[in-house]
Structure formats: C-alpha cells, structure tokens
Amino acid sequence: MSVHREIRLARRPFGEPGPENFELAEVTVPEPGTGQILVRNTWMSVDPYMRGRMDDRASYIAPFEVGAALDGSAIGEVVASRAAGIPVGATVSHFLGWREYAVLDADAAAVVDTGVARPQDYLGALGPTGLTAYLAVTRIAPVGPGDVVFVSGAAGAVGSVAGQLARKLGAAKVIGSAGGPEKTKRIVEGFGFDAAIDYRAGSLAERLAELAPEGIDVYVDNVGGDHLRTAIGALKVHGKAALIGMISQYNATEPVPGPSNLYDVVTKRLTLRGVLVTDHQDVLPEYLAKAASWLTDGSLRTEETVVEGLDQAPGAFLGVLRGANTGKMLVRLV
Ligand SMILES: NC(=O)c1ccc[n+]([C@@H]2O[C@H](COP(=O)([O-])OP(=O)(O)OC[C@H]3O[C@@H](n4cnc5c(N)ncnc54)[C@H](OP(=O)(O)O)[C@@H]3O)[C@@H](O)[C@H]2O)c1
C-alpha cells in the first residue's frame, strides 16, 4: 500500500498566517471507485482567496476544516481510471490540490489540451486568474479604444494579464502598480504596460495624477484600501471599476473602513462592480481559445514564480500574501 502526502489546516490564524497554521501528513493513496480516476498531481495553485478560507466564516466558498486537507486548483496526470472518457495518461485540471494524489469523480475533472499550452498554464493565464482578468476588462468594466486604464496588483497573476488584455481592447494608456522597483520594471518591460507605480515609494495619488492627468476611465482593483480610494478619486465621470479582490485587507483583524471618498461615486456617476470568476464559467471556452492563441503567438506574456515540492506549498501561499511572486505563484509537485 503506497502513501502520499497532503497539507492540512493545523489551526486557524488570527491576522497574518504562518507555517504553524499548516501540517504535512502522510496518508494512503486512495483507490478509484467506479466512475472515478486517480490523479498524480503535478502542479498546484496557491491563491490569495485561500486566506479567507482559513477563517471560520460563511462566504462564497466553504472554509477549510481544521485537521482536514486543504483544496484548490491543481493539474495532474491520470494514473488509474475507472471512468469512461478519461484515459490513463490524460492531463486534467481539478480542485483537489494540496496533496500529491487525488481520487475524483470523472465529472469533477476536466481534460486539458497540452498540445496548445503547458499544463501549468491552465492554473494561470489559461486558468482562473487569466479568466478573471478577461472578465474584468470585457464584462465587468469593459475597456474601450482610447481608454486610460489603471491596474493594481499589476505584477501578479490577474493584474499582469488584465493590463495586457486592456491593451488588446484598444486602451490608449495602461498603468500598473506593484510593490518595489523590480516589479515595476517587470510591469513595463515584461508585460508591456506604459507606466508603473511603486506603491511603496511615495504617494500613489500623486504618481497616478502625474501619469494620468486627465484621470482614468477604468480601474481594475486587486488590492482595495488606499488603491481603491485613489482610483475612485482618479476616475473620470462615468468611469468604471472592476472589483476583483482586496488583498490589502485579507489579514485584517478589525473591520476595514470603506473608502472615504465614496460620494465621488455619486457625483461622477461611477460604476463599481464586483466579480467572482466562478459565476462566469460560460465564458471559459471562448477565453481559452483566444488566450491559447495569444500565448502561442507571444502577444500575451506570462511569468511564474515556481516553488518545488508539496512541503513548500504553505510557504508559497504565505509568499503570495507578502508579494513574493511575480506572475502566477505555482507549486510543482513532481
Ligand atoms: N474575484 C475573483 O473571482 C478572483 C479570482 C482570482 C483572484 N482574485 C483576487 O485578485 C487579486 C490578485 O490575485 P492573484 O491570484 O493575481 O494574486 P497575485 O497578484 O499574483 O499575488 C498577490 C499580490 O498581491 C500583492 N499584495 C499583497 N499585499 C498587498 C497590499 N497590502 N497592497 C497591495 N498589494 C499587495 C503582492 O504584490 P506586490 O508585491 O505588488 O505587493 C502579491 O504578489 C487578489 O485580491 C485575489 O483575491 C479574485
């Protein structure tokens, strides 16, 4: 009987989580039943939203359970199959990450085409973060020709794609923000933004006003807090914002006050609209077809920060919360 490893929630954090919140456990590799597949996970995703799942709080997705394996997006190879339609050797995406092997009902896994993209792309540019970026700039706060667009978290998985897609949609100017000079350099030189702001150095509002003196048409918010307040102040009349995430407050231990300038939403008739990628899976086929060809022709550029081994997955996750990644943070399992 062979064993594999999984990461469990050891205890819930208060504020910023640390390694003590996770536990590595050895368990027996499960056997697939009728209609099931056994998958050897090759890549797994660590994502900021997982911080919310560490708390015992009702939300759009169930909290992690103390003492149980975590879950989340993963890619793997089918090593045993008792399901018609998914053969041994297929590469699948599914939601039982944070473990080395997973048994799944066949309908909980999707076979991915490794002929058009690398397996790990299906966790990033061709996965939930890429689709979120696409939704933001097409459905939620549609970017049009000539727009000035501001993207926060612009060196990250969602933000780096959102800025490039805004350009494809005809934006006249794409501005990104991130923490530190290396990331701002990557935003411009690697991802092709027109300009980047290091939000840790100086006043975000002053820098944005310098770069967009007439204001911005669209804001893509990955960060919340001061970024959202600044963007509301900079949006033009009838401006739009896609509210994707608010990572600046995920570790907050007290209620976070809203932006002090919300009345601007009235006076400038702004549209601020939230989005959850899980509501828009109907767009995935359309997006996959487009994004795979953009990856192939090089017009969508991606980066990854890769951490090796399941035992390093908690550190990778803690790193995402602290900004240790450029592009998508991934864990390679084999
Ligand atoms: N609504 C949805 O369906 C959906 C789907 C996917 C992701 N999201 C959200 O989208 C956002 C980005 O997710 P992602 O997966 O692409 O992560 P990511 O941007 O690749 O990584 C998170 C980044 O957040 C930045 N950050 C951390 N603390 C910050 C702070 N206090 N202020 C400003 N930036 C901070 C860090 O970069 P710096 O070094 O630049 O600080 C870090 O690298 C998150 O808020 C996430 O929850 C939402």
Side-chain angles (χ1 to χ4, degrees):
M1 206 182 297
S2 53
V3 292
H4 76 121
R5 301 179 302 169
E6 64 183 26
I7 302 281
R8 297 174 178 169
L9 182 65
R11 54 177 179 269
R12 299 195 188 282
F14 180 75
E16 190 176 351
E20 68 281 3
N21 298 109
F22 302 89
E23 148 185 57
L24 184 67
E26 285 200 344
V27 285
T28 306
V29 175
E31 297 275 335
T34 306
Q36 291 188 317
I37 53 175
L38 174 65
V39 178
R40 184 179 63 143
N41 284 336
T42 50
W43 294 88
M44 59 165 270
S45 180
V46 287
D47 297 275
Y49 78 90
M50 292 170 173
R51 172 64 188 87
R53 299 187 69 195
M54 296 178 83
D55 295 332
D56 189 12
R57 193 175 54 204
S59 186
Y60 64 95
I61 185 167
F64 294 134
E65 285 177 36
V66 175
L70 309 184
D71 58 25
S73 298
I75 295 284
E77 290 166 13
V78 177
V79 292
S81 176
R82 297 187 60 197
I86 305 191
V88 169
T91 301
V92 292
S93 80
H94 61 88
F95 207 66
L96 286 183
W98 294 95
R99 67 201 74 194
E100 291 172 323
Y101 283 83
V103 158
L104 297 148
D105 290 343
D107 61 6
V111 176
V112 298
D113 185 350
T114 52
V116 297
R118 303 167 309 156
Q120 64 269 39
D121 290 326
Y122 291 92
L123 295 176
L126 298 187
T129 54
L131 180 59
T132 302
Y134 182 71
L135 293 167
V137 295
T138 58
R139 275 198 177 179
I140 307 302
V143 170
D147 281 351
V148 177
V149 178
F150 176 45
V151 180
S152 59
V158 173
S160 60
V161 173
Q164 294 179 75
L165 299 186
R167 167 84 71 230
K168 284 183 179 292
L169 292 163
K173 189 166 196 180
V174 183
I175 302 163
S177 70
E182 281 173 29
K183 287 196 181 184
T184 49
K185 196 164 173 238
R186 294 303 304 144
I187 289 171
V188 175
E189 293 177 6
F191 302 127
F193 287 50
D194 297 290
I197 301 170
D198 176 358
Y199 71 85
R200 292 193 192 131
S203 159
L204 179 67
E206 281 173 21
R207 282 293 288 140
L208 188 57
E210 282 165 22
L211 292 168
E214 310 295 322
I216 60 174
D217 298 282
V218 173
Y219 173 52
V220 178
D221 189 24
N222 288 303
V223 166
D226 189 45
H227 271 84
L228 180 55
R229 189 184 55 75
T230 299
I232 288 172
L235 278 164
K236 297 177 189 170
V237 169
H238 298 306
K240 296 165 287 190
L243 306 189
I244 296 177
M246 301 204 174
I247 196 166
S248 68
Q249 63 192 56
Y250 291 174
N251 286 328
T253 54
E254 298 286 335
V256 177
S260 56
N261 55 353
L262 267 187
Y263 187 53
D264 282 9
V265 177
V266 178
T267 59
K268 294 195 279 186
R269 289 84 85 202
L270 305 178
T271 303
L272 311 186
R273 189 175 166 201
V275 59
L276 280 181
V277 65
T278 41
D279 288 350
H280 299 266
Q281 292 305 304
D282 58 302
V283 188
L284 186 59
E286 160 198 326
Y287 173 68
L288 278 182
K290 288 181 183 173
S293 75
W294 293 329
L295 288 180
T296 302
D297 70 22
S299 66
L300 177 60
R301 287 179 274 170
T302 61
E303 268 193 39
E304 289 141 22
T305 302
V306 177
V307 169
E308 303 283 344
L310 183 72
D311 52 325
Q312 301 302 314
F317 167 70
L318 298 172
V320 166
L321 298 179
R322 295 186 194 127
N325 60 306
T326 300
K328 182 77 189 90
M329 180 68 102
L330 292 172
V331 182
R332 182 168 23 213
L333 298 179
V334 286

